Amino acid sequence: MAILIDGKKVAADILADASEKTKELKAQGKEVSLAVIIVGNNPASRVYVNNKEKDCANCGIRSIEYALDENTTQEELEALINKLNNDDSVDGILCQLPLPKHLDEKIVIESISPDKDVDAFHPINTGKIMSGDYNLLPCTPAGVMELLKAYDIDATGKHCVVIGRSNIVGKPMAMLLLHKNGTVSICHSRTKDLAEMTKQADILVVAIGKAKFVTGDMVKEGAVVIDVGMDRDENGKLCGDVDFDSVEPKASYITPVPGGVGPMTRAILMQNAVTAAKISLSKKVVK
Ligand code: GUN
């Protein structure tokens, strides 16, 4: 029987801390603010953006939504970002992805000031992860690290196996585990004999985007299993990349879906908005 890692509880603690810091900053005359850009009518993006704005409201963070038309041009979007980059009253900028196909996401990400990049998708921020010298971390991998910390799970000397090599989750995840002295393997769709790798994992982080992909026979007895997936099973029910029913009896710790990594991703965004406000404040003092 595994210990269930309660992401809702750990996220609530992080949100309470972000609220407290937001209040402290307000007392110093600094209102934490996040600009949220959404382009077009993607229904999933609308749900995500609504949730982010709700989280802001609950933490006392001012959110300013820019809902742009589906036909917004690259130039118009970049002009808005440029305006927000130069607006001292805006601490964080988030442009919800995916963007409509005619827009270049890479250029858009790179146009956001790295100091306001609460997603930490800008190459300056992703690059800083390599050196371990960072202010802003991508929300999901940072959230996983917070879960490990909350449950006193030390990566030192452990074989940490990450399935998935995305720029947003897999690669930064591997780097953060390395900074915590883990011995890290990154696996992906082309990895030969994936089960041989996963069976060696003391800490297994699964971010492959396939429902119930990791089954009990792929997991070592006593492994810590972190499920980053957010999928639908054959009955349309929300599930993760890990087949919880067959993996849970073998794991020492496991995250559920929902209620594991998901709430952490949301909470870290609020933490990043507070960090961006502190960066903005520190720049003002220097000026
Ligand atoms: N679309 C899905 N997840 C995310 C996210 O974390 N940030 C942004 N900007 N867009 C997303």
Side-chain angles (χ1 to χ4, degrees):
M1 267 275 281
I3 293 172
L4 213 57
I5 296 181
D6 187 347
K8 273 196 215 157
K9 182 178 177 307
V10 182
D13 292 344
I14 288 174
L15 289 169
D17 184 62
S19 301
E20 193 54 41
K21 290 191 171 126
T22 299
K23 255 191 224 148
E24 286 167 18
L25 285 162
K26 201 162 201 169
Q28 296 173 46
K30 174 80 197 160
E31 183 180 42
V32 181
S33 71
L34 176 65
V36 181
I37 304 169
I38 177 167
V39 187
N41 309 307
N42 181 323
S45 290
R46 175 37 70 195
V47 172
Y48 285 127
V49 164
N50 288 350
N51 285 339
K52 286 166 191 183
E53 290 171 355
K54 244 186 259 166
D55 291 339
C56 282
N58 288 336
C59 289
I61 294 171
R62 182 169 72 106
S63 66
I64 317 126
E65 181 180 304
Y66 294 86
L68 305 185
D69 187 83
E70 180 83 26
N71 298 318
T72 299
T73 65
Q74 182 80 23
E75 291 70 28
E76 286 166 338
L77 181 53
E78 285 178 41
L80 171 62
I81 292 172
N82 195 37
K83 180 171 86 88
L84 297 170
N85 282 340
N86 292 309
D87 184 342
D88 282 348
S89 72
V90 172
D91 301 310
I93 303 169
L94 181 145
C95 183
Q96 187 67 26
L97 304 177
L99 290 169
K101 285 205 168 51
H102 65 281
L103 297 172
D104 186 329
E105 279 185 6
K106 185 169 174 289
I107 293 176
V108 168
I109 287 169
E110 290 179 8
S111 71
I112 294 174
S113 161
D115 285 341
K116 297 190 177 191
D117 171 32
V118 286
D119 276 318
F121 291 169
H122 191 288
I124 288 200
N125 287 322
T126 55
K128 279 183 169 184
I129 299 173
M130 293 283 263
S131 62
D133 161 35
Y134 40 71
N135 293 312
L136 295 163
L137 284 175
C139 298
T140 299
V144 171
M145 296 312 289
E146 289 293 337
L147 286 179
L148 296 179
K149 190 166 114 189
Y151 283 80
D152 285 325
I153 298 165
D154 184 4
T156 303
K158 305 265 174 66
H159 190 183
C160 306
V161 176
V162 178
I163 313 184
R165 56 175 161 177
S166 71
N167 289 333
I168 294 171
V169 181
K171 285 183 207 167
M173 187 72 252
M175 208 47 69
L176 295 180
L177 289 163
L178 182 64
H179 291 324
K180 291 290 177 190
N181 305 309
T183 302
V184 182
S185 300
I186 307 177
C187 300
H188 46 81
S189 55
R190 304 283 181 90
T191 297
K192 288 210 174 93
D193 208 347
L194 185 67
E196 268 319 301
M197 293 299 300
T198 58
K199 275 192 267 185
Q200 293 174 37
D202 301 306
I203 299 175
L204 179 64
V205 181
V206 191
I208 196 167
K210 291 183 184 165
K212 300 185 183 183
F213 180 80
V214 170
T215 47
D217 55 316
M218 296 167 72
V219 175
K220 182 164 86 173
E221 199 72 47
V224 174
V225 180
I226 306 289
D227 189 349
V228 178
M230 193 66 101
D231 314 301
R232 297 270 167 193
D233 70 9
E234 58 282 5
N235 303 314
K237 194 171 159 242
L238 198 61
C239 71
D241 292 352
V242 172
D243 178 36
F244 188 89
D245 291 344
S246 67
V247 172
E248 186 271 341
K250 291 183 88 176
S252 57
Y253 292 85
I254 190 166
T255 57
V257 177
V261 174
M264 295 301 293
T265 300
R266 285 175 63 171
I268 299 290
L269 180 67
M270 298 299 106
Q271 196 177 62
N272 280 352
V274 171
T275 301
K278 287 184 175 174
I279 293 170
S280 160
L281 202 57
S282 71
K283 278 177 159 176
K284 266 193 194 141
V285 170
V286 171
K287 266 182 198 168

